[in-house]
Amino acid sequence: MLRSATRLLTTKRAVAFTSMRSLSTSMPRFLEDKLNITLPESSFETYNCDKPSLEVEVTKDQLIDMYTKMSIMRRMEVTADGLYKAKKIRGFCHLCNGQEAVSVGMEAAITHDDHVITAYRCHGFTYLRGGTVESILAELMGRSTGISKGKGGSMHMFAPSFYGGNGIVGAQVPLGAGVAFAQKYLNNPSVTFALYGDGAANQGQVFEAFNMAKLWDLPCVFVCENNKYGMGTSANRSSASTEYYKRGDYIPGIKVNGMDVLSVYKACQWAKEWTTSGKGPLVMELATYRYGGHSMSDPGTTYRTREEIQHMRSTSDPITGMKHILVEHGLATEADLKAIDKEARKTVDEALKKAEAAPEPPTSEFFSDIYIAGSQPSVVRGREPNEIYRF
């Protein structure tokens, strides 16, 4: 089924519940070490702006890198799933299996001078922005070598130019507008991508951030990761309008096939150019899909059918999609990609061993990192008036 679904010039594939082709369907044109791939017409829908070009210029190395990163992310999340079920991860844990194209495509289009802030499904972004697999798995297990010293867990991970990992629904959106304000104030020619889910799209603070961003024409892209379900509620049961890319009203918008990494890559390139050229903010909707539940405590099958999940896996998986592009265009063999998959498993397995061997943080970490180093007072009060910690 998958092979026939990606046949040249004939692909018609489902993304979410709308018929959309998720893979490039034209033979690439090679220009020295680069190649041009034409995306399907269905890759983008726009609101009050022209569509980006469907021509994507990439190199073989870029495509291999995208495949590799998505494979490592998938393996890392599958490993986290097992750790949670073994009770080695406690508390909240939100996995991004199925949504890898969102973060990988975005990261390929920007630099570390650009900024990203997202909600609590943040493990993949943390890895791409500079975190190691070991530091992420250690954080999930509450170990001292975790990226937040074992004190933040699944929802509170940070890296250079990456502001989390935020546990309060929608709260990261105005924070992202604030980061973009700082960029404009300091005359930094960079962009902020502020991501939120369809479940947060009706929050009042989201629309307040839209208003301020447009008033000041901030270089901010508000990205709605629409995976069709806010926790266990389908989008059409929670939202009077599910065209999230049109929600900005006075802000132009674009809807993107979020299951195709090249569509995300092209859209984010275009969005960065738009916002940094002084045209103001954008609202971007990435139509994507999560294979698991909202979090590990959610089986994910009480409000949707197993057949629906399997259909998305078999027709729109982002890793399988990139695999077909590489193989059908003669850029890699099946053996090459199996070797990458094997190395991804090895990378994650070795990181897991190191993470599990790390100790828990000492109790002194309970009251550290409250203030910026050098600005802390001599004492910090604990939970009770007579509970005092001294630096």
Side-chain angles (χ1 to χ4, degrees):
M1 181 198 297
L2 280 167
R3 192 165 295 279
S4 63
T6 58
R7 209 167 287 155
L8 296 181
L9 302 177
T10 62
T11 289
K12 290 269 188 181
R13 292 178 50 181
V15 169
F17 309 117
T18 305
S19 179
M20 294 177 68
R21 296 182 295 177
S22 66
L23 300 183
S24 163
T25 56
S26 69
M27 187 63 71
R29 300 190 302 278
F30 290 85
L31 300 172
E32 297 178 357
D33 62 333
K34 296 184 178 181
L35 58 149
N36 276 11
I37 297 178
T38 304
L39 299 171
E41 287 283 347
S42 56
S43 298
F44 310 123
E45 296 177 37
T46 55
Y47 169 71
N48 285 349
C49 60
D50 294 329
K51 288 185 179 181
S53 168
L54 296 174
E55 298 295 317
V56 181
E57 185 178 85
V58 289
T59 66
K60 173 185 174 181
D61 288 346
Q62 283 179 296
L63 295 175
I64 292 291
D65 184 61
M66 291 177 188
Y67 180 86
T68 301
K69 287 175 177 174
M70 287 194 292
S71 297
I72 290 174
M73 284 172 57
R74 178 73 59 85
R75 180 67 182 180
M76 180 176 70
E77 296 290 65
V78 168
T79 298
D81 180 285
L83 291 171
Y84 193 95
K85 290 172 179 174
K87 298 184 178 180
K88 293 182 179 180
I89 296 175
R90 301 283 186 165
F92 294 103
C93 186
H94 304 81
L95 305 180
C96 66
N97 300 24
Q99 298 185 206
E100 295 87 355
V102 169
S103 54
V104 172
M106 183 178 296
E107 184 64 26
I110 62 178
T111 72
H112 277 282
D113 290 328
D114 300 307
H115 304 267
V116 177
I117 185 168
T118 189
Y120 33 72
R121 206 177 303 279
C122 64
H123 308 161
F125 279 105
T126 305
Y127 166 64
L128 295 172
R129 292 262 91 185
T132 64
V133 175
E134 178 189 349
S135 70
I136 293 166
L137 293 177
E139 187 61 38
L140 290 171
M141 291 187 287
R143 305 304 169 92
S144 61
T145 54
I147 199 161
S148 295
K149 301 182 182 179
K151 300 187 291 183
S154 175
M155 299 189 291
H156 304 101
M157 299 184 183
F158 309 89
S161 300
F162 176 62
Y163 304 86
N166 292 267
I168 304 302
V169 175
Q172 71 281 2
V173 180
L175 293 178
V179 174
F181 175 80
Q183 290 170 275
K184 183 167 184 175
Y185 186 81
L186 297 171
N187 292 316
N188 291 335
S190 52
V191 62
T192 294
F193 285 86
L195 295 98
Y196 56 99
D198 52 286
N202 298 318
Q203 289 267 323
Q205 59 191 329
V206 172
F207 294 93
E208 292 174 25
F210 285 177
N211 180 61
M212 296 177 75
K214 184 56 184 173
L215 273 174
W216 298 327
D217 276 339
L218 301 181
C220 189
V221 183
F222 297 101
V223 183
C224 178
E225 283 187 90
N226 180 11
N227 61 22
K228 302 305 173 189
Y229 298 95
M231 297 186 72
T233 304
S234 63
N236 59 11
R237 290 184 60 216
S238 66
S239 299
S241 170
T242 57
E243 293 182 305
Y244 296 105
Y245 68 108
K246 297 181 180 180
R247 290 284 194 91
D249 187 15
Y250 38 77
I251 300 176
I254 180 171
K255 182 177 181 180
V256 183
N257 178 0
M259 298 299 279
D260 175 27
V261 67
L262 290 183
S263 294
V264 177
Y265 170 62
K266 181 65 179 183
C268 290
Q269 279 187 321
W270 173 83
K272 178 178 178 178
E273 191 282 328
W274 176 286
T275 54
T276 57
S277 65
K279 296 178 181 178
L282 282 169
V283 176
M284 178 183 293
E285 177 185 347
L286 297 178
T288 185
Y289 196 84
R290 55 172 164 82
Y291 296 153
H294 170 74
S295 68
M296 284 300 299
S297 61
D298 168 25
T301 54
T302 57
Y303 48 85
R304 57 183 183 174
T305 64
R306 295 182 187 277
E307 289 74 20
E308 177 188 307
I309 301 168
Q310 184 54 42
H311 171 72
M312 295 302 297
R313 280 183 177 274
S314 63
T315 61
S316 299
D317 184 74
I319 299 177
T320 304
M322 178 57 74
K323 177 179 179 180
H324 284 311
I325 290 175
L326 289 166
V327 172
E328 292 186 7
H329 294 334
L331 302 174
T333 64
E334 293 276 0
D336 293 333
L337 300 179
K338 285 182 179 178
I340 292 174
D341 295 341
K342 182 178 180 181
E343 187 61 28
R345 288 194 297 272
K346 179 182 177 182
T347 297
V348 175
D349 291 348
E350 290 178 351
L352 173 60
K353 289 179 181 178
K354 293 178 181 178
E356 286 188 301
E360 294 182 352
T363 55
S364 61
E365 286 291 344
F366 284 157
F367 54 91
S368 66
D369 299 314
I370 300 173
Y371 297 89
I372 296 174
S375 68
Q376 68 269 25
S378 59
V379 297
V380 173
R381 185 176 68 83
R383 296 165 298 171
E384 301 175 0
N386 62 348
E387 185 179 348
I388 301 295
Y389 298 102
R390 299 184 183 278
F391 285 96

